[in-house]
Amino acid sequence: MPDVLIPFLLVGPILLLLALGIVTILIREQRRRLVQEQEKQLLLAQQNEQLEQQVAARTSEIIAQRNDLEQALADLRTTQSQLVQREKMASLGELTAGIAHEMQNPLNFVTNFSDLSVDLVAELEEELAKEQLSEKGQHTIQQLLQELIQNQSRIHQHGHRADRIVKSMLEHSRANSTQRQATNINTLVEESLRLAYHGWRAKNKDSNATLLTELDPSLKPVLVLPQDLSRVFLNLLTNAFYAVAEKSRQAPPGYCPEVCVQTRQVGNTVQVRVRDNGNGIPAAVREKIYQPFFTTKPTGEGTGLGLSLSYDIITKGHGGTLSVDSKEGEYTEFTISLPLDPKKRLA
């Protein structure tokens, strides 16, 4: 082989080696870039995961803050409602105190003059005994004097009773309406029933009703606001007597008006039920009975505030419930549920 061809034969392998070297370098570079890209993707994934965790934590924090704000708003509304209710009760107490003070003087005059009239009748009897009168005239005068004495005795009796009521009103107005007292619910119910019944009979002398009481003797005293709770009982009982009186005017002969009051303990609550067999509450208006100024009574018979105030006293003032069950034409039953431990319901 000529010496001239040897360099040409060596160029081929050299070029091949150079090409292989270049290819190797390019492959290594490509691998390095792929590794760098993978590292970047991994770093980006880690950063995304961290970001998602931060977003989730922040979202949970925001949700917790929102829940806290909603709870604070609910507590604020509850406190506002309680303040409004207490203001209503305070205004009512001031009004009651004013009326009681105004009533004391005329009541004192009634009782004092009734006592004086009894003494004057006794003196009149003595003077008439000295006079010469016919037997018939003496008999007639004696009858009239006895009737006069009986009337004065009744005036004296009811005057003292009214005086006791006025003094009780003044005591209630002086008492702190926010101070709970351990109260015998049965005693409070009996007093309210007696007051409501006599008040109803005073307006409806020709009416009568059967009073049924089922009072649980095992009930323990409950921490309540007795003056507020007695208002609720009086309102429900007054409505019950009104309902049976209205039905008595329309019902056929044989209808027997009944008002029943029941107390019992159910779990951690004390229940008071007031039931009457009057006309019931129409289903169309049953959901409106607790609305202020709503009433089914004729104009002048009611203000429409009784059940509204009663509902607020039970639910907001005592943390209890006031529900109604009624069948039109047959009965109405109100159920009061009071917690035995008011702190758990009012906290």
Side-chain angles (χ1 to χ4, degrees), residues 200 220 248 277 317:
W200 174 65
K220 296 179 180 180
S248 297
N277 61 345

Side-chain angles (χ1 to χ4, degrees), residues 85-86 88-90 92-93 172 175-180 188 192 224-235 309-310 312-314 316-318 336:
Q85 179 62 22
R86 289 175 183 176
K88 289 180 181 178
M89 292 299 102
L92 185 59
H172 284 317
N176 184 2
S177 62
T178 62
Q179 185 65 40
R180 295 178 178 274
L188 200 62
S192 301
V224 296
L225 305 174
Q227 59 270 32
D228 291 351
L229 201 57
S230 63
R231 293 188 188 107
V232 176
F233 293 158
L234 280 172
N235 179 259
L309 287 174
S310 297
D312 286 347
I313 289 172
I314 296 299
K316 299 176 182 178
H318 290 82
I336 299 170

Side-chain angles (χ1 to χ4, degrees), residues 166-200:
V166 168
K167 289 179 180 177
S168 178
M169 291 168 63
L170 288 172
E171 289 176 0
H172 284 317
S173 66
R174 286 193 293 266
N176 184 2
S177 62
T178 62
Q179 185 65 40
R180 295 178 178 274
Q181 301 176 19
T183 304
N184 187 318
I185 299 298
N186 289 339
T187 302
L188 200 62
V189 166
E190 287 180 325
E191 291 176 355
S192 301
L193 180 60
R194 184 168 58 253
L195 287 173
Y197 180 69
H198 288 300
W200 174 65

